[in-house]
């Protein structure tokens, strides 16, 4: 079992920055990939950025060049640095992690989410 807890959300003006953190606990050492998703008002949940255990990253086109995902495997943490925030970035941001066991069973975990509101 893995538990994920996000922090760092809040209210920010357009053009501002925020840094989200995701703390993993439980069997966190078995985590393979980590990612940030978001779900805006009336929108479907979408992938924002992902990072493998080796550090390979992937970004949604809408955030490329503005957001940076990183992780600290020793601390079982993931981060999302968000710069040049836009109104359309307003959403609940959720941390996601997956674990692949030695028996090849895949487990998916979600945090509760943290609200990011971009408003003037």
């Amino acid at each position: 079992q893995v538990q994920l807890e996000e922090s760092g959300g809040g209210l920010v003006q357009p053009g501002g920055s925020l840094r989200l953190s995701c703390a993993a606990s439980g069997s966190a050492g078995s985590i393979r990939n980590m990612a940030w998703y978001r779900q805006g008002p009336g929108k479907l949940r979408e992938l924002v950025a992902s990072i493998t255990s080796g550090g390979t990253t992937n970004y949604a086109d809408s955030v490329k060049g503005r957001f940076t995902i990183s992780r600290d495997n020793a601390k079982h943490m993931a981060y999302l640095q968000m710069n040049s925030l836009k109104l359309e970035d307003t959403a609940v941001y959720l941390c996601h992690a997956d674990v692949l066991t030695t028996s090849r069973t895949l487990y998916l975990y979600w945090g509760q989410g943290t609200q990011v509101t971009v408003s003037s």
Side-chain angles (χ1 to χ4, degrees):
Q1 285 284 342
V2 172
Q3 295 78 44
L4 303 173
E5 183 173 2
E6 304 94 337
S7 61
L11 174 65
V12 64
Q13 292 185 338
S17 297
L18 279 176
R19 188 193 194 210
L20 305 183
S21 299
C22 173
S25 59
S27 301
S30 59
I31 290 175
R32 193 178 54 167
N33 304 309
M34 299 189 77
W36 289 94
Y37 284 74
R38 68 185 181 187
Q39 187 162 13
K43 297 182 180 180
L44 297 175
R45 188 172 295 184
E46 63 174 349
L47 175 66
V48 176
S50 64
I51 184 167
T52 67
S53 57
T56 299
T57 59
N58 181 57
Y59 296 92
D61 288 342
S62 59
V63 307
K64 282 181 181 177
R66 300 189 297 123
F67 291 11
T68 303
I69 188 171
S70 61
R71 65 190 285 179
D72 184 329
N73 291 329
K75 295 182 178 179
H76 307 307
M77 296 287 297
Y79 307 96
L80 186 67
Q81 178 66 43
M82 305 186 295
N83 299 327
S84 303
L85 282 160
K86 304 176 180 180
L87 296 175
E88 53 264 40
D89 294 319
T90 294
V92 175
Y93 284 72
L94 303 106
C95 183
H96 177 273
D98 67 68
V99 170
L100 184 65
T101 68
T102 53
S103 61
R104 310 300 292 177
T105 300
L106 182 66
Y107 293 91
L108 307 178
Y109 299 97
W110 292 93
Q112 292 296 312
T114 184
Q115 177 69 46
V116 172
T117 301
V118 184
S119 175
S120 56

